[in-house]
């Protein structure tokens, strides 16, 4: 090893001499990196990556013993003693904790056996069991998961000149590789994914991107990449990647929402003093020059996206660890043209506070444009329309889409926190001898562990005495994998983010938010030609039919439900100890039980889905990098728009980090309808019911794919093949 680390890495990478002739440098670059527009995966950096042992997101699974024959507790005459012991043990080891995250209930013993066993995909018996599982084998030993570090190398290769030739990049990149190899040396390859963010922030240049292409962090593998087919499907681009400037896209994003519980989009039925939209604004937009605002409202043709729910949080104390990002709780108006059906984006007010008119207010606006918002608690903004300055309008759209993206992240984590007490009560009361365990275990997989890692700072030591790896304890709830990342990568502080998550968690109701909306029953919503968030959701009856058939194998009367002490304990504790809003504390009939269990599965899968919008840096970074108001008539340029987008290092860090949460590594990989091999080996009567369940899901998936083939932009949030079976991500 050379003493000069910079020269060492330059030699390793064959970095061109900045003083060399252009032809010489170009030749060297082509030799090392191939086409400047494509990551071939065959250069020196790729060799470093490929030398790492397999390990990545979603690649772990373990074998487990088959379930014992299951029965209701009142009919268990063979294993009642073992069952009683298991129940006693579970109630001691699984505890509700109320103080670690004030305002929420979390599992009090992350180290316990039940949590550990539920942390990974576990197949039971051999791999030749009866589950068809859509021909996707989640126990394939050749599948190592999505290797997120590969995306970092791909981007580095693609933008070689603007990154590698920066003065201190060599020393920075050595630090990045040091982090990767230190995790391997510690025997924790899975942590490479989790701990790569800060090294990326330090390695990539902290400067604004100079082109749209530099905001594109997706790997662009060439077809001669040695594993092209395997890799390219793990990095799918947003379906609207080439249309991100198209105005109608914003309307699409709120009707094809990034999370299933997203509900900030409403009909606009009365004027709001905080949003002084006028006919003058309305008629600036192409297609509405002769329309009338009040008439359109009376006809139910206006809709509003209002992030007032986040107003106090977006104007909270600035987060100075976030490279200067802001988030605005904006307002966006949409309209359907007269005699039309498509949703058009009309006007955006980036904040909740309008800029009043008048001489002195105009003077104040002038100084805001010069000196910025500073620490104003309620920064004002003007309404900007699609008919105003082009780049002002593009900047205003980013103000809305970044908040849309953050609201999706908050919705996602808040469902995790809302659902978190359910597995605590479940493990405490439902033994492995109960028929609910084979049905629900997979749907609860990894929820406790992922909640813990996402929220709490990891405190502990590696290399436990038993040699089983890393010990997790409860650290700072504002510095976990997700809560800590928000501090660095968004316009929220981690405290603001956690507080928003806890507030949003309290919004949910177990029955209300697991009941699909029939939007065609609402004459206003029925006007929209498409509303994919609702139109594609055919999952509730399919899940209900599967649960109905399964539970009737074991429950033969309403009395069986009433006498099931384990079930009743589970329901009671979830409600009264877990504080899960709207969850029933008992069940008296089999129909009630079928409905409850169906909704548990719906919450853990359908209501946990998450779109990849947060990975789309051209629109959806978790913050706007602008401290000044946007004037609808100022002569902005594309450079001004690029300046509100994230710096290169922040964009790269957010993109790579967000892939942990947004994508399955393959269609039908641990998706809704999938169960590990051998999950129902103990009872062959289940398999005919499972076959029907999977066939119905496949048919719905095919139907949505056919719809998507006719749409301008595909929507996959309601496709069974891309919905995780549990909150494992």
């Amino acid at each position: 090893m050379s003493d000069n680390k910079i020269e060492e890495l330059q030699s390793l990478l064959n970095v061109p001499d900045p003083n060399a002739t252009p032809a010489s440098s170009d030749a060297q670059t082509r030799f090392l990196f191939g086409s400047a527009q494509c990551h071939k995966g065959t250069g020196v950096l790729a060799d470093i990556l490929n030398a790492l042992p397999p390990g990545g997101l979603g690649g772990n699974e373990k074998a487990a013993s088959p379930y014992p024959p299951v029965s209701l507790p009142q009919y268990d005459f063979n294993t009642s003693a073992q069952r009683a012991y298991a129940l006693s043990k579970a109630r001691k080891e699984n505890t509700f904790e109320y103080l670690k995250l004030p305002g929420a209930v979390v599992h009090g013993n992350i180290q316990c056996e039940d949590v550990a066993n539920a942390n990974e995909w576990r197949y039971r018996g051999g791999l030749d069991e009866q589950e068809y599982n859509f021909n996707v084998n989640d126990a394939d030993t050749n599948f190592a998961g999505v290797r997120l570090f590969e995306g970092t190398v791909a981007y580095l290769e693609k933008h070689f000149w603007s990154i590698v030739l920066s003065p201190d990049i060599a020393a920075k990149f050595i630090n990045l590789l040091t982090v990767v190899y230190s995790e391997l040396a510690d025997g924790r390859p899975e942590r490479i994914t989790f701990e790569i963010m800060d090294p990326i922030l330090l390695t990539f240049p902290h400067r604004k991107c100079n082109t749209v292409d530099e905001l594109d962090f997706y790997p662009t593998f060439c077809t001669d990449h040695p594993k092209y087919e395997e890799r390219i499907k793990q990095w799918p681009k947003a379906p609207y990647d080439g249309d991100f400037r198209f105005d109608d896209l914003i309307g699409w994003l709120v009707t094809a929402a990034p999370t299933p519980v997203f509900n900030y989009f409403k009909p606009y039925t009365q004027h709001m003093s905080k949003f002084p939209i006028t006919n003058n604004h309305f008629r600036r937009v192409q297609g509405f020059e002769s329309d009338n605002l009040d008439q359109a409202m009376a006809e139910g043709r206006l809709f509003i996206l209002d992030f007032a729910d986040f107003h106090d949080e977006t104007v909270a104390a600035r987060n100075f660890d976030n490279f200067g990002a802001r988030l605005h709780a904006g307002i966006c108006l949409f309209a359907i043209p007269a005699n039309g059906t498509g949703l058009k984006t009309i006007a955006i007010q980036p904040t909740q506070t309008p800029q009043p008119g008048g001489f002195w207010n105009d003077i104040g606006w002038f100084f805001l444009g010069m000196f910025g918002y500073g620490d104003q608690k309620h920064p004002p903004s003007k309404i900007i329309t699609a008919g105003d300055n082009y780049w002002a309008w593009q900047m205003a759209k980013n103000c809305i889409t970044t908040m849309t993206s953050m609201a999706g992240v908050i919705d996602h984590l808040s469902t995790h926190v809302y659902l978190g007490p359910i597995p605590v009560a479940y493990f405490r009361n439902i033994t492995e001898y109960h028929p609910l365990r084979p049905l629900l275990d997979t749907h609860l997989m990894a929820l406790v562990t992922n909640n813990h890692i996402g929220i709490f700072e990891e405190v502990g030591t590696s290399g436990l005495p038993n040699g089983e790896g890393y010990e997790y304890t409860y650290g700072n709830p504002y510095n976990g994998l997700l809560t800590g990342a928000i501090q660095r990568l968004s316009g929220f502080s981690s405290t603001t983010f956690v507080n928003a998550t806890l507030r949003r968690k309290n919004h949910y109701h177990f029955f209300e938010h697991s009941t699909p909306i029939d939007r065609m029953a609402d004459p206003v919503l029925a006007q929209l030609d498409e509303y994919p968030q609702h139109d594609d959701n055919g999952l509730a009856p399919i899940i209900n039919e599967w649960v109905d058939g399964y539970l009737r194998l074991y429950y033969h009367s309403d009395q069986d439900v009433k006498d099931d002490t384990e079930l009743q304990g589970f329901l009671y504790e979830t409600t009264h100890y877990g504080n899960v809003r709207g969850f029933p504390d008992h069940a008296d009939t089999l129909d009630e039980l079928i409905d409850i269990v169906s909704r548990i599965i719906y919450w853990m899968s359908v209501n946990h889905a998450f779109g990849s919008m947060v990975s789309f840096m051209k629109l959806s970074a978790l913050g706007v990098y602008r401290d000044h108001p946007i004037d609808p008539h100022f002569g902005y340029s594309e450079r001004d728009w690029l300046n509100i987008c994230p710096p290169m290092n922040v964009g790269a860090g957010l993109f790579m980090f967000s892939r942990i949460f947004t994508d399955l590594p393959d269609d039908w990989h641990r998706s809704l309808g999938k169960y590990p091999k051998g999950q129902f080996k103990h009872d062959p009567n289940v398999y005919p019911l499972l076959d029907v369940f999977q066939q119905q899901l496949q048919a719905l998936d095919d139907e949505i794919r056919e719809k998507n083939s006719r749409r301008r932009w595909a929507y996959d949030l309601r496709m069974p093949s891309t919905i995780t079976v549990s909150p494992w991500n």
Side-chain angles (χ1 to χ4, degrees), residues 145 187 196 257 270 295 402 464 500 530 632 706:
I196 197 175
Q270 61 182 5
Q295 181 180 348
T402 51
L464 297 178
E530 279 200 296
E706 195 279 327

Side-chain angles (χ1 to χ4, degrees), residues 658-675:
S658 66
R659 309 310 290 179
I660 300 172
F661 304 97
T662 58
D663 283 316
L664 291 169
D666 200 358
D667 289 349
W668 297 114
H669 178 90
R670 303 182 190 177
S671 308
L672 179 60
K674 288 292 294 294
Y675 292 93

Side-chain angles (χ1 to χ4, degrees), residues 276-285 288-289 291 293 346 383 385 387-388 633:
I277 186 80
T278 66
N279 255 333
N280 183 41
H281 293 112
F282 192 45
R283 290 170 174 169
R284 288 180 205 168
V285 181
F288 295 88
E289 295 89 346
D291 211 332
L293 186 68
I346 301 296
I383 291 175
T385 76
D388 292 321
H633 306 300

